[in-house]
Short mmCIF file of all heavy atoms in Angstrom, two decimals:
data_model
loop_
_atom_site.label_atom_id
_atom_site.label_comp_id
_atom_site.label_asym_id
_atom_site.label_seq_id
_atom_site.Cartn_x
_atom_site.Cartn_y
_atom_site.Cartn_z
N GLY A 325 4.53 15.34 -40.89
CA GLY A 325 5.24 15.55 -42.15
C GLY A 325 6.52 14.76 -42.28
O GLY A 325 7.36 15.05 -43.14
N GLY A 326 6.69 13.73 -41.45
CA GLY A 326 7.92 12.94 -41.46
C GLY A 326 7.73 11.53 -41.99
O GLY A 326 6.71 11.19 -42.59
N SER A 327 8.73 10.69 -41.69
CA SER A 327 8.81 9.35 -42.29
C SER A 327 7.74 8.38 -41.81
O SER A 327 7.49 7.36 -42.45
CB SER A 327 10.19 8.74 -42.01
OG SER A 327 10.39 8.58 -40.61
N GLN A 328 7.08 8.66 -40.67
CA GLN A 328 6.10 7.72 -40.12
C GLN A 328 4.65 8.09 -40.44
O GLN A 328 3.73 7.37 -40.04
CB GLN A 328 6.30 7.62 -38.61
CG GLN A 328 7.68 7.15 -38.19
CD GLN A 328 8.08 5.85 -38.85
OE1 GLN A 328 7.49 4.80 -38.58
NE2 GLN A 328 9.08 5.91 -39.71
N ASP A 329 4.45 9.18 -41.16
CA ASP A 329 3.08 9.63 -41.45
C ASP A 329 2.23 8.54 -42.10
O ASP A 329 1.08 8.30 -41.68
CB ASP A 329 3.11 10.85 -42.38
CG ASP A 329 3.43 12.14 -41.64
OD1 ASP A 329 3.99 12.07 -40.53
OD2 ASP A 329 3.12 13.22 -42.19
N ALA A 330 2.77 7.89 -43.11
CA ALA A 330 1.99 6.88 -43.84
C ALA A 330 1.62 5.71 -42.94
O ALA A 330 0.49 5.20 -42.99
CB ALA A 330 2.77 6.40 -45.06
N LEU A 331 2.55 5.30 -42.11
CA LEU A 331 2.30 4.17 -41.21
C LEU A 331 1.24 4.54 -40.16
O LEU A 331 0.38 3.71 -39.83
CB LEU A 331 3.60 3.74 -40.53
CG LEU A 331 3.54 2.46 -39.68
CD1 LEU A 331 3.05 1.28 -40.50
CD2 LEU A 331 4.90 2.17 -39.06
N VAL A 332 1.28 5.75 -39.66
CA VAL A 332 0.26 6.21 -38.71
C VAL A 332 -1.12 6.13 -39.35
O VAL A 332 -2.09 5.67 -38.73
CB VAL A 332 0.56 7.63 -38.21
CG1 VAL A 332 -0.64 8.21 -37.44
CG2 VAL A 332 1.79 7.64 -37.32
N ARG A 333 -1.23 6.56 -40.61
CA ARG A 333 -2.51 6.47 -41.33
C ARG A 333 -2.95 5.02 -41.45
O ARG A 333 -4.14 4.69 -41.26
CB ARG A 333 -2.38 7.08 -42.73
CG ARG A 333 -2.26 8.60 -42.75
CD ARG A 333 -2.32 9.12 -44.19
NE ARG A 333 -2.04 10.54 -44.28
CZ ARG A 333 -2.92 11.50 -44.04
NH1 ARG A 333 -4.17 11.18 -43.70
NH2 ARG A 333 -2.59 12.77 -44.15
N GLN A 334 -2.01 4.13 -41.76
CA GLN A 334 -2.34 2.71 -41.92
C GLN A 334 -2.81 2.10 -40.61
O GLN A 334 -3.79 1.34 -40.58
CB GLN A 334 -1.13 1.96 -42.46
CG GLN A 334 -0.77 2.29 -43.90
CD GLN A 334 0.59 1.75 -44.31
OE1 GLN A 334 1.08 0.78 -43.72
NE2 GLN A 334 1.22 2.38 -45.29
N TYR A 335 -2.13 2.41 -39.53
CA TYR A 335 -2.53 1.87 -38.23
C TYR A 335 -3.90 2.42 -37.81
O TYR A 335 -4.71 1.70 -37.22
CB TYR A 335 -1.50 2.23 -37.15
CG TYR A 335 -0.21 1.45 -37.20
CD1 TYR A 335 0.93 1.90 -36.55
CD2 TYR A 335 -0.12 0.23 -37.90
CE1 TYR A 335 2.12 1.18 -36.57
CE2 TYR A 335 1.07 -0.48 -37.94
CZ TYR A 335 2.19 0.00 -37.26
OH TYR A 335 3.37 -0.71 -37.30
N SER A 336 -4.15 3.68 -38.10
CA SER A 336 -5.44 4.28 -37.76
C SER A 336 -6.58 3.55 -38.46
O SER A 336 -7.67 3.38 -37.89
CB SER A 336 -5.45 5.76 -38.17
OG SER A 336 -6.74 6.32 -38.01
N ALA A 337 -6.30 3.06 -39.66
CA ALA A 337 -7.34 2.42 -40.48
C ALA A 337 -7.45 0.92 -40.26
O ALA A 337 -8.45 0.31 -40.62
CB ALA A 337 -7.07 2.70 -41.96
N SER A 338 -6.42 0.30 -39.66
CA SER A 338 -6.41 -1.16 -39.57
C SER A 338 -5.92 -1.64 -38.21
O SER A 338 -4.71 -1.65 -37.94
CB SER A 338 -5.53 -1.76 -40.68
OG SER A 338 -5.40 -3.15 -40.52
N ALA A 339 -6.86 -2.09 -37.39
CA ALA A 339 -6.49 -2.63 -36.08
C ALA A 339 -5.66 -3.90 -36.23
O ALA A 339 -4.74 -4.14 -35.45
CB ALA A 339 -7.75 -2.91 -35.26
N SER A 340 -5.96 -4.70 -37.23
CA SER A 340 -5.23 -5.96 -37.41
C SER A 340 -3.78 -5.70 -37.78
O SER A 340 -2.87 -6.39 -37.29
CB SER A 340 -5.90 -6.84 -38.46
OG SER A 340 -5.94 -6.19 -39.72
N LEU A 341 -3.53 -4.69 -38.61
CA LEU A 341 -2.15 -4.34 -38.97
C LEU A 341 -1.39 -3.84 -37.74
O LEU A 341 -0.27 -4.28 -37.46
CB LEU A 341 -2.14 -3.27 -40.06
CG LEU A 341 -0.76 -2.76 -40.48
CD1 LEU A 341 0.06 -3.88 -41.13
CD2 LEU A 341 -0.87 -1.57 -41.43
N PHE A 342 -2.03 -2.94 -37.00
CA PHE A 342 -1.38 -2.41 -35.80
C PHE A 342 -1.11 -3.51 -34.78
O PHE A 342 0.00 -3.64 -34.27
CB PHE A 342 -2.26 -1.31 -35.18
CG PHE A 342 -1.85 -0.96 -33.77
CD1 PHE A 342 -0.53 -0.65 -33.47
CD2 PHE A 342 -2.78 -0.95 -32.74
CE1 PHE A 342 -0.15 -0.33 -32.16
CE2 PHE A 342 -2.41 -0.64 -31.44
CZ PHE A 342 -1.09 -0.33 -31.15
N ASN A 343 -2.12 -4.33 -34.49
CA ASN A 343 -1.95 -5.38 -33.49
C ASN A 343 -0.84 -6.36 -33.89
O ASN A 343 -0.04 -6.77 -33.04
CB ASN A 343 -3.25 -6.14 -33.28
CG ASN A 343 -4.27 -5.35 -32.49
OD1 ASN A 343 -3.93 -4.39 -31.80
ND2 ASN A 343 -5.54 -5.73 -32.57
N GLY A 344 -0.79 -6.71 -35.15
CA GLY A 344 0.25 -7.63 -35.62
C GLY A 344 1.64 -7.05 -35.47
O GLY A 344 2.56 -7.71 -34.98
N ASP A 345 1.79 -5.79 -35.84
CA ASP A 345 3.08 -5.13 -35.72
C ASP A 345 3.44 -4.90 -34.25
O ASP A 345 4.61 -4.99 -33.86
CB ASP A 345 3.08 -3.79 -36.47
CG ASP A 345 3.26 -3.96 -37.97
OD1 ASP A 345 3.33 -5.12 -38.44
OD2 ASP A 345 3.34 -2.93 -38.67
N PHE A 346 2.45 -4.59 -33.43
CA PHE A 346 2.70 -4.36 -32.01
C PHE A 346 3.21 -5.64 -31.34
O PHE A 346 4.19 -5.60 -30.59
CB PHE A 346 1.42 -3.87 -31.32
CG PHE A 346 1.59 -3.60 -29.85
CD1 PHE A 346 2.16 -2.41 -29.42
CD2 PHE A 346 1.19 -4.53 -28.89
CE1 PHE A 346 2.33 -2.15 -28.07
CE2 PHE A 346 1.37 -4.28 -27.54
CZ PHE A 346 1.94 -3.09 -27.13
N VAL A 347 2.57 -6.75 -31.63
CA VAL A 347 2.99 -8.04 -31.05
C VAL A 347 4.42 -8.37 -31.48
O VAL A 347 5.27 -8.75 -30.65
CB VAL A 347 2.03 -9.16 -31.46
CG1 VAL A 347 2.63 -10.53 -31.17
CG2 VAL A 347 0.70 -9.02 -30.72
N ALA A 348 4.70 -8.21 -32.76
CA ALA A 348 6.05 -8.51 -33.27
C ALA A 348 7.09 -7.63 -32.59
O ALA A 348 8.18 -8.09 -32.22
CB ALA A 348 6.09 -8.32 -34.79
N ALA A 349 6.76 -6.35 -32.41
CA ALA A 349 7.70 -5.41 -31.78
C ALA A 349 7.86 -5.71 -30.29
O ALA A 349 8.96 -5.57 -29.74
CB ALA A 349 7.23 -3.97 -31.99
N MET A 350 6.79 -6.14 -29.63
CA MET A 350 6.87 -6.50 -28.21
C MET A 350 7.79 -7.70 -28.01
O MET A 350 8.59 -7.74 -27.07
CB MET A 350 5.48 -6.78 -27.65
CG MET A 350 4.66 -5.54 -27.35
SD MET A 350 5.33 -4.52 -26.00
CE MET A 350 5.07 -5.60 -24.58
N ILE A 351 7.65 -8.70 -28.88
CA ILE A 351 8.51 -9.89 -28.77
C ILE A 351 9.96 -9.52 -29.04
O ILE A 351 10.88 -9.96 -28.33
CB ILE A 351 8.01 -10.99 -29.73
CG1 ILE A 351 6.65 -11.51 -29.25
CG2 ILE A 351 9.02 -12.13 -29.82
CD1 ILE A 351 5.98 -12.46 -30.22
N LYS A 352 10.17 -8.66 -30.04
CA LYS A 352 11.52 -8.20 -30.37
C LYS A 352 12.12 -7.41 -29.20
O LYS A 352 13.27 -7.62 -28.82
CB LYS A 352 11.44 -7.35 -31.64
CG LYS A 352 12.78 -7.01 -32.28
CD LYS A 352 12.51 -6.32 -33.63
CE LYS A 352 13.78 -5.81 -34.28
NZ LYS A 352 13.48 -5.11 -35.56
N MET A 353 11.32 -6.51 -28.63
CA MET A 353 11.79 -5.73 -27.49
C MET A 353 12.09 -6.63 -26.30
O MET A 353 13.05 -6.41 -25.55
CB MET A 353 10.76 -4.68 -27.10
CG MET A 353 11.21 -3.76 -25.96
SD MET A 353 10.00 -2.48 -25.55
CE MET A 353 8.80 -3.45 -24.62
N GLY A 354 11.28 -7.66 -26.12
CA GLY A 354 11.46 -8.58 -25.00
C GLY A 354 12.73 -9.40 -25.07
O GLY A 354 13.10 -10.06 -24.09
N ASN A 355 13.39 -9.37 -26.21
CA ASN A 355 14.66 -10.09 -26.38
C ASN A 355 15.88 -9.22 -26.13
O ASN A 355 17.01 -9.71 -26.20
CB ASN A 355 14.74 -10.67 -27.80
CG ASN A 355 13.99 -11.97 -27.95
OD1 ASN A 355 14.21 -12.92 -27.22
ND2 ASN A 355 13.05 -12.01 -28.89
N ILE A 356 15.68 -7.94 -25.84
CA ILE A 356 16.81 -7.04 -25.67
C ILE A 356 17.61 -7.41 -24.42
O ILE A 356 17.08 -7.50 -23.32
CB ILE A 356 16.34 -5.57 -25.54
CG1 ILE A 356 15.66 -5.10 -26.82
CG2 ILE A 356 17.51 -4.66 -25.20
CD1 ILE A 356 15.01 -3.73 -26.70
N GLY A 357 18.90 -7.66 -24.61
CA GLY A 357 19.85 -7.81 -23.51
C GLY A 357 19.47 -8.81 -22.43
O GLY A 357 19.77 -8.58 -21.26
N THR A 358 18.81 -9.88 -22.80
CA THR A 358 18.35 -10.82 -21.78
C THR A 358 19.51 -11.62 -21.17
O THR A 358 20.48 -11.96 -21.84
CB THR A 358 17.33 -11.81 -22.38
OG1 THR A 358 17.89 -12.42 -23.54
CG2 THR A 358 16.05 -11.09 -22.77
N LEU A 359 19.38 -11.90 -19.90
CA LEU A 359 20.31 -12.78 -19.18
C LEU A 359 19.72 -14.18 -19.20
O LEU A 359 18.56 -14.37 -18.84
CB LEU A 359 20.49 -12.31 -17.74
CG LEU A 359 21.02 -10.89 -17.54
CD1 LEU A 359 20.98 -10.50 -16.07
CD2 LEU A 359 22.43 -10.76 -18.09
N THR A 360 20.50 -15.16 -19.63
CA THR A 360 20.00 -16.54 -19.71
C THR A 360 21.06 -17.50 -19.17
O THR A 360 22.17 -17.09 -18.82
CB THR A 360 19.66 -16.92 -21.16
OG1 THR A 360 20.82 -16.75 -21.99
CG2 THR A 360 18.52 -16.08 -21.72
N GLY A 361 20.70 -18.77 -19.13
CA GLY A 361 21.65 -19.78 -18.68
C GLY A 361 22.00 -19.61 -17.21
O GLY A 361 21.14 -19.67 -16.34
N THR A 362 23.28 -19.34 -16.94
CA THR A 362 23.73 -19.15 -15.56
C THR A 362 24.00 -17.69 -15.24
O THR A 362 24.45 -17.37 -14.13
CB THR A 362 25.01 -19.97 -15.30
OG1 THR A 362 26.01 -19.58 -16.25
CG2 THR A 362 24.74 -21.46 -15.43
N ALA A 363 23.75 -16.79 -16.19
CA ALA A 363 23.94 -15.36 -15.94
C ALA A 363 22.88 -14.86 -14.97
O ALA A 363 21.76 -15.38 -14.92
CB ALA A 363 23.89 -14.58 -17.24
#
Side-chain angles (χ1 to χ4, degrees):
S327 62
Q328 301 307 293
D329 281 20
L331 187 57
V332 169
R333 288 187 187 279
Q334 290 169 24
Y335 286 162
S336 172
S338 174
S340 61
L341 177 65
F342 166 52
N343 286 341
D345 280 4
F346 181 80
V347 166
M350 283 294 292
I351 292 172
K352 191 172 174 182
M353 184 178 76
N355 278 305
I356 296 172
T358 53
L359 301 173
T360 57
T362 57

